[in-house]
Amino acid sequence: MKKKSLILMSAGVLFISGNLYLALKDDSKAVRSSYINKWTATGKESLTKTLQAEGVVTPVEEHHVYYKDTPGGFKNFLVKEGDPVDVGSPLYEYAGDGNEAERDKLEMEKQQLVREAALIDEQIQQLEYLLSVSESATDNSIPVAGDGTSDTGGSSNSELMNVSIEKEIYDKKSEKTRIQAEIDEYDDTLNSQDSGDQLGINSEVAGTVKKINYDLNNPILTIISDNPKVEGAFTEKDLKEVQEGMEVFVKSDLVKGNVKGTLTSIASYPEQDPSVKTESRFPYEVELTDEQADLIKGTHVEVAVVTDQVVNAATVPEEAVEKTKKASYIYVLNELGKVEKRKISKGLTLDGKVEVKKGAKPGELVVKNPEAIQKAGDPFFSKLKPSILNKKTFNKEPGKEIFKSIMVGFFKR
């Protein structure tokens, strides 16, 4: 028993001593090898850079209703603040007496024009009759005067008279046309009074009554639209990153998920007079593309403006990138089992991740701690993880690949 233990101890000492010799001798591969214990696979993902801001939900439009004084005067409002209204909804009304008096006056003036038009029609008929008689007399060489009596002055006088009658008919018809146009205007006015459009009694838009001026100072009513938008203000620093047309995500504690929108306007002048002592803030507006979003007007929301975005980009951790003054590099495990130093072209850097535009493909193994590399291409070793060496792990790989890896281990090391 003692002899067997002695043999085992002697073998262990020889094994350790041999390895120490190989590791510490000059030009030993063990000395030149890099110990790499952090690997990562090149990812494939979308990177979205956003600028955060605050905003408040407001109506898309405000419509003002104005009061027009009339002889009858104001009677009362037919809505109250907060009421929903549609196009054509009654908003307020005038006192009835004044309205009716105004209408009676218009009706009387219109009827006077109608009588004038009728009188002109009679005059035109008489003139046309005289013209027909005169033309008939001219054909028989018997000129006829305006009063129907015969005229022996010759055919030239008859022709002159006919021309005079035709001119009179033309003038009467022109006057009739003018009067009829005035009658039509009176009809339009009376019809508009019936519908209330001219007096602003009915609403021209749909929405909600925001404010009523009960003292009748104009605008006496303000109606806001049902569709919401988002307003806010950017800082001077923000202006460097944002521009109109950018995609926006709006988040509210009262709504599930994000509401999409578009940055539609950025003011070119600050919301308050500029001052040396305070930073200027520039108003902006966001039009919501999700019309079904149930954002409550007046509530405050979080606004994320998408300032940069790449889709399905190859990415590596920022710590895996070795930077020099002229270029950036990563260390990739190539098909030969060696660590290869590659120059990369960087894109967007966001939240500790770097977009690799050129130099790596998604899925490639990359050294996560490049400072551990002594020299690219030299031998390296990593920490053995026995936990992954189980039957299930080997079953994932084809037998051909396992044999190939074993052969590489024997002949390359």
Side-chain angles (χ1 to χ4, degrees), residues 114-397:
V114 170
R115 287 192 292 272
E116 292 180 14
L119 179 60
I120 292 175
D121 283 339
E122 292 178 3
Q123 294 174 341
I124 291 174
Q125 290 178 1
Q126 291 177 359
L127 290 169
E128 288 177 340
Y129 171 73
L130 292 176
L131 180 61
S132 63
V133 172
S134 177
E135 289 175 343
S136 175
T138 301
D139 293 339
N140 296 327
S141 300
I142 303 175
V144 180
D147 56 359
T149 59
S150 59
D151 186 357
T152 58
S155 58
S156 60
N157 291 335
S158 298
E159 291 175 358
L160 182 61
M161 182 174 295
N162 291 343
V163 172
S164 177
I165 294 173
E166 288 176 351
K167 181 178 183 303
E168 188 69 18
I169 292 173
Y170 176 80
D171 291 342
K172 291 297 182 183
K173 286 185 176 180
S174 298
E175 186 178 358
K176 169 71 182 305
T177 300
R178 180 185 59 77
I179 291 176
Q180 186 59 51
E182 292 186 21
I183 292 173
D184 291 342
E185 289 182 3
Y186 273 91
D187 284 337
D188 292 341
T189 302
L190 290 169
N191 291 334
S192 64
Q193 281 195 354
D194 289 340
S195 64
D197 289 344
Q198 185 186 27
L199 303 178
I201 294 176
N202 296 341
S203 177
E204 297 179 354
V205 298
T208 302
V209 178
K210 175 186 176 182
K211 185 179 180 182
I212 297 178
N213 281 330
Y214 291 97
D215 54 6
L216 301 185
N217 288 329
N218 281 319
I220 62 170
L221 278 160
T222 300
I223 299 173
I224 58 175
S225 61
D226 293 330
N227 297 329
K229 65 178 179 181
V230 174
E231 293 182 341
F234 290 130
T235 64
E236 296 176 35
K237 182 180 178 182
D238 292 340
L239 293 180
K240 298 178 181 177
E241 301 185 46
V242 296
Q243 61 183 18
E244 294 179 357
M246 285 182 166
E247 187 178 14
V248 174
F249 293 99
V250 177
K251 186 177 181 180
S252 169
D253 294 336
L254 304 176
V255 178
K256 187 177 181 181
N258 292 323
V259 179
K260 293 183 178 180
T262 303
L263 184 59
T264 53
S265 69
I266 304 172
S268 57
Y269 194 78
E271 57 187 355
Q272 295 181 348
D273 292 338
S275 171
V276 176
K277 297 181 181 180
T278 58
E279 183 183 30
S280 297
R281 295 176 61 84
F282 297 81
Y284 70 83
E285 289 186 359
V286 173
E287 180 179 318
L288 301 176
T289 53
D290 185 0
E291 297 181 355
Q292 304 300 322
D294 190 19
L295 292 175
I296 300 176
K297 301 177 187 69
T299 58
H300 290 77
V301 294
E302 298 175 11
V303 176
V305 182
V306 179
T307 57
D308 199 356
Q309 186 178 46
V310 288
V311 180
N312 296 329
T315 60
V316 296
E318 192 171 7
E319 60 185 314
V321 179
E322 183 181 82
K323 302 174 184 176
T324 66
K325 292 182 178 179
K326 297 183 178 179
S328 297
Y329 302 89
I330 59 174
Y331 292 88
V332 181
L333 182 64
N334 61 23
E335 295 179 348
L336 301 177
K338 292 186 176 180
V339 175
E340 174 186 348
K341 184 178 182 180
R342 288 188 192 169
K343 182 180 179 181
I344 64 170
S345 175
K346 294 197 306 179
L348 179 62
T349 299
L350 184 67
D351 297 332
K353 296 182 179 179
V354 176
E355 174 198 2
V356 181
K357 289 185 173 180
K358 188 181 298 183
K361 299 177 181 178
E364 289 188 299
L365 277 182
V366 177
V367 178
K368 198 172 181 179
N369 53 334
E371 66 276 3
I373 301 293
Q374 297 191 38
K375 184 180 179 182
D378 276 357
F380 71 92
F381 60 96
S382 295
K383 183 179 180 181
L384 178 63
K385 297 181 179 179
S387 60
I388 65 173
L389 297 177
N390 51 45
K391 186 176 181 180
K392 186 177 180 181
T393 302
F394 287 104
N395 288 338
K396 291 181 179 178
E397 296 291 335

